[in-house]
Amino acid sequence: MTFSGFPDEGLVFYEGLEADNSKTYWTQHKHVYDEHVRRPMQELADELAPEFGTPKLFRPYRDVRFSHDKTPYKTHQGAVLHVEGRGVGSVYVQVSAEGLRVSGGCWRLQPDQVERYRRAVSDDAQGPRLEAEVASLRGGDFSIDGDKLVRTPRGHPADHPRLDLLRHKSLHASQEWEPADWLQTPAALERVRSAWRCCAGLNQWLADNVGATTAPPDRRR
């Protein structure tokens, strides 16, 4: 089916889940989640897949094994799209009672990838290239986030001109919108598409300079 927007019923569903994050609420309203949250998210991802890569919708259940917060359900629905073979750099979309969030970049880097990332940031050609991409995204009302050190990375000078970027262990850009009428229409797809295209330069830089990890897979996952 063609994406026609995120119905208001889905946002109301999440308002209720935030107030009553219980199995009882979930069971009674799961049909609302299936029809007004997961279905339109799948339709959105499927329509954008030819340009942005293979989509994956996240499960609605929280992993509470190592968390003090034992509420069982996520209060948002997210999806990630990734181009096969790129190694690193993907795009993300999330809907919740707070509205719509879109992102691009990387959320987790292995140690060998962090090493290559910092080597590229220090490079006289690749470093300014990333700096320009980040500045462009900030100028387009994107926030720049990611795990980062509070100190100077080992082996780098404390007065490095790109110290803030060097401190990152992951790097992603995000844009958010509060609920509005357009969210319930096909215009939401165009908002997501436009934002993801803005992130294309960042993802290309990551693909060119960071790539896939050479570390063995973590069998504990």
Side-chain angles (χ1 to χ4, degrees):
M1 296 179 64
T2 302
F3 175 78
S4 59
F6 288 105
D8 189 55
E9 291 90 336
L11 276 62
V12 173
F13 162 80
Y14 277 125
E15 289 178 350
L17 186 62
E18 289 179 357
D20 181 12
N21 198 314
S22 68
K23 185 176 181 180
T24 298
Y25 177 90
W26 180 265
T27 302
Q28 292 176 348
H29 297 85
K30 186 176 183 298
H31 66 285
V32 180
Y33 165 79
D34 289 336
E35 179 64 20
H36 299 297
V37 176
R38 190 169 184 87
R39 179 186 58 78
M41 181 63 80
Q42 186 69 65
E43 292 170 355
L44 174 81
D46 288 344
E47 286 203 47
L48 293 172
E51 180 175 353
F52 296 100
T54 304
K56 172 189 173 183
L57 267 64
F58 289 100
R59 290 161 53 87
Y61 313 105
R62 296 184 63 251
D63 184 352
V64 300
R65 292 173 298 172
F66 308 108
S67 175
H68 292 296
D69 180 2
K70 299 300 182 183
T71 52
Y73 304 104
K74 298 174 184 175
T75 55
H76 62 267
Q77 175 65 58
V80 64
L81 283 75
H82 182 75
V83 176
E84 297 296 333
R86 168 173 276 174
V88 68
S90 56
V91 289
Y92 175 79
V93 58
Q94 171 182 303
V95 66
S96 69
E98 282 70 48
L100 192 69
R101 178 185 180 92
V102 292
S103 306
C106 62
W107 284 259
R108 178 183 297 176
L109 293 177
Q110 298 299 322
D112 62 311
Q113 293 175 306
V114 174
E115 182 179 349
R116 291 197 296 275
Y117 165 80
R118 290 188 176 138
R119 189 184 309 135
V121 173
S122 295
D123 183 79
D124 289 339
Q126 294 304 320
R129 178 184 160 199
L130 176 61
E131 195 171 37
E133 289 292 346
V134 168
S136 176
L137 287 164
R138 284 195 170 117
D141 294 326
F142 283 82
S143 63
I144 304 297
D145 303 292
D147 293 336
K148 58 195 301 188
L149 300 173
V150 296
R151 56 177 175 77
T152 303
R154 184 178 301 175
H156 297 278
D159 61 350
H160 193 285
R162 293 180 292 280
L163 179 60
D164 185 65
L165 288 172
L166 281 171
R167 290 167 54 212
H168 276 267
K169 296 189 291 181
S170 64
L171 184 67
H172 46 89
S174 300
Q175 201 168 38
E176 298 182 55
W177 297 281
E178 295 180 352
D181 291 344
W182 60 262
L183 188 58
Q184 302 175 44
T185 75
L189 183 145
E190 296 307 322
R191 291 256 186 155
V192 176
R193 190 200 307 274
S194 177
W196 283 354
R197 284 176 175 172
C198 290
C199 295
L202 172 61
N203 279 340
Q204 189 60 57
W205 188 96
L206 291 166
D208 292 343
N209 293 284
V210 179
T213 182
T214 58
D218 187 344
R219 301 299 183 186
R220 296 171 296 176
R221 293 183 185 176

